[in-house]
Amino acid sequence: MNLMEFNERFPNEYSALMSVKQLRDKQGVICRKCGYDQHYWQQTVESFQCKNCGARQRLRSGTIMEQSKLPYRLWLMAIHLVTATKKSFTALELQRQLGYKRYEPIWYMLHKIRTVMGKRDSEYELTGYIELDDAFFEVGDPHQKPNKAGRGSTGKAGVLIAVESEPTANQFRKKNRKEGRKCGKLTMQVVSNITGKHVESLVDGKIDESATLHTDGHKSYNILDQIVNRHHITISNDPKRISKLFTWVHTAISNVKRVILGIHHSVHSPYLQNYLNKFCWKFNRRYDQKNQFERLLHTGLQYRWC
Ligand SMILES: [Zn+2]
């Protein structure tokens, strides 16, 4: 969908509201009081009313828009811009594009969108052959230098990154292949430290136990021997060899760092996960560009942001 098509589909606030209403109808509205699934639509109060007990439910309730006063059309336009643009953008840029007076509601809206992107992706588990590595991201004030380099320094946040990297029979380099490996789904998790406990929690939530994990042999990854099917370790001082063997995880790390440094310059640590959520969500749907708007809108109506 381009901007012209968006304007044709949602020419005004009413059309946006009715699209949200129809989509919620399609997903199925369940009464919070009695669990009944049949409702009347009350246009004047923008609410569903249960046919059994009469309890009302606002159109926004239980969705990403709950507690927001921003118009529906603005939400849909933000979702459109997030999904239709290749490059990332800041909340300030979004505020400019939407022509909205206040910055804070737009900033919150964008973070809510990024939060539900993460919620949706957390339902998938990575499987098969997986490259796992960690990286440190500078967080907070960009002008404040971190105290020390490497693992665990202040001013930096640790992130565990895992990406499916299936070996393929076809050795030719194609757009989605490197050195005979096909890149699948990606996940990134901010952790307070890179320890065995954190690695275990990543595997618990986001990686199938039957997977084979490939790491650089850092001691935090020893735990993998006990919790996944297979754990391959490569210890090497040869950067070329390492970059070949961890080709996709290193590509993901450098790309996300470029986005964060290039566009957002610096992020505050509590929000880093949200930036990573958005990066992963878009990456995981890179071959389904044309349906990204519908998919994100659908997700936004299914998940509350808090
Ligand atoms: Zn009811």
Side-chain angles (χ1 to χ4, degrees), residues 31 33-36 50 52-55:
C31 176
K33 214 170 161 190
C34 74
Y36 199 61
C50 176
N52 182 45
C53 73

Side-chain angles (χ1 to χ4, degrees), residues 135-149:
F136 285 86
F137 288 70
E138 282 191 33
V139 285
D141 183 355
H143 306 296
Q144 201 174 6
K145 286 255 162 74
N147 290 343
K148 51 183 179 165

Side-chain angles (χ1 to χ4, degrees), residues 172-214:
F172 293 110
R173 265 183 182 241
K174 282 191 178 171
K175 218 177 175 183
N176 60 337
R177 294 192 178 121
K178 275 188 183 178
E179 304 298 334
R181 296 204 162 269
K182 189 174 184 288
C183 181
K185 288 199 290 293
L186 166 73
T187 189
M188 298 186 180
Q189 179 72 54
V190 177
V191 286
S192 55
N193 212 340
I194 311 291
T195 65
K197 194 179 83 184
H198 294 98
V199 171
E200 189 175 5
S201 114
L202 175 87
V203 172
D204 262 358
K206 298 190 169 177
I207 292 172
D208 190 278
E209 283 173 12
S210 67
T212 298
L213 266 78
H214 188 188

Side-chain angles (χ1 to χ4, degrees), residues 76-271:
L76 299 194
M77 195 168 268
I79 291 172
H80 167 65
L81 288 171
V82 166
T83 52
T85 49
K86 281 251 169 190
K87 296 209 169 154
S88 191
F89 49 79
T90 60
L92 195 62
E93 180 62 29
L94 182 62
Q95 183 200 3
R96 269 192 221 114
Q97 294 294 333
L98 296 175
Y100 198 75
K101 272 184 291 179
R102 292 176 55 223
Y103 173 72
E104 283 77 17
I106 303 297
W107 183 90
Y108 275 115
M109 173 167 66
L110 200 50
H111 271 290
K112 287 171 185 178
I113 291 173
R114 292 173 184 145
T115 302
V116 299
M117 284 171 143
K119 286 190 176 189
R120 183 72 189 104
D121 266 356
S122 70
E123 289 188 8
Y124 297 113
E125 281 192 330
L126 270 59
T127 57
Y129 194 93
I130 294 167
E131 298 170 22
L132 172 65
D133 203 356
D134 52 78
F136 285 86
F137 288 70
E138 282 191 33
V139 285
D141 183 355
H143 306 296
Q144 201 174 6
K145 286 255 162 74
N147 290 343
K148 51 183 179 165
R151 291 181 205 259
S153 58
T154 53
K156 290 191 173 192
V159 177
L160 287 168
I161 300 107
V163 59
E164 292 170 346
S165 172
E166 269 320 303
T168 57
N170 187 348
Q171 295 289 313
F172 293 110
R173 265 183 182 241
K174 282 191 178 171
K175 218 177 175 183
N176 60 337
R177 294 192 178 121
K178 275 188 183 178
E179 304 298 334
R181 296 204 162 269
K182 189 174 184 288
C183 181
K185 288 199 290 293
L186 166 73
T187 189
M188 298 186 180
Q189 179 72 54
V190 177
V191 286
S192 55
N193 212 340
I194 311 291
T195 65
K197 194 179 83 184
H198 294 98
V199 171
E200 189 175 5
S201 114
L202 175 87
V203 172
D204 262 358
K206 298 190 169 177
I207 292 172
D208 190 278
E209 283 173 12
S210 67
T212 298
L213 266 78
H214 188 188
T215 71
D216 63 6
H218 186 265
K219 62 181 184 338
S220 311
Y221 299 131
N222 290 347
I223 185 94
L224 292 171
D225 296 338
Q226 299 153 37
I227 56 175
V228 290
N229 183 31
R230 287 182 79 185
H231 178 203
H232 280 180
I233 298 171
T234 302
I235 300 170
S236 173
N237 290 324
D238 178 2
K240 271 191 179 169
R241 183 160 178 254
I242 288 292
S243 103
K244 255 188 181 180
L245 288 168
F246 295 96
T247 183
W248 286 118
V249 76
H250 288 173
T251 302
I253 293 169
S254 72
N255 285 352
V256 74
K257 281 195 169 178
R258 202 181 314 136
V259 168
I260 290 178
L261 281 175
I263 294 162
H264 304 289
H265 306 300
S266 166
V267 301
H268 291 281
S269 51
Y271 308 113

Side-chain angles (χ1 to χ4, degrees), residues 17-34:
L17 181 149
M18 287 315 281
S19 288
V20 170
K21 186 250 169 195
Q22 280 156 13
L23 195 55
R24 283 210 60 194
D25 268 335
K26 215 167 138 188
Q27 289 175 347
V29 179
I30 304 293
C31 176
R32 294 219 181 113
K33 214 170 161 190
C34 74

Side-chain angles (χ1 to χ4, degrees), residues 7-20 22 73 76:
N7 278 327
E8 277 169 30
R9 193 169 154 192
F10 309 108
N12 48 38
E13 178 62 4
Y14 179 74
S15 59
L17 181 149
M18 287 315 281
S19 288
V20 170
Q22 280 156 13
R73 192 163 181 270
L76 299 194

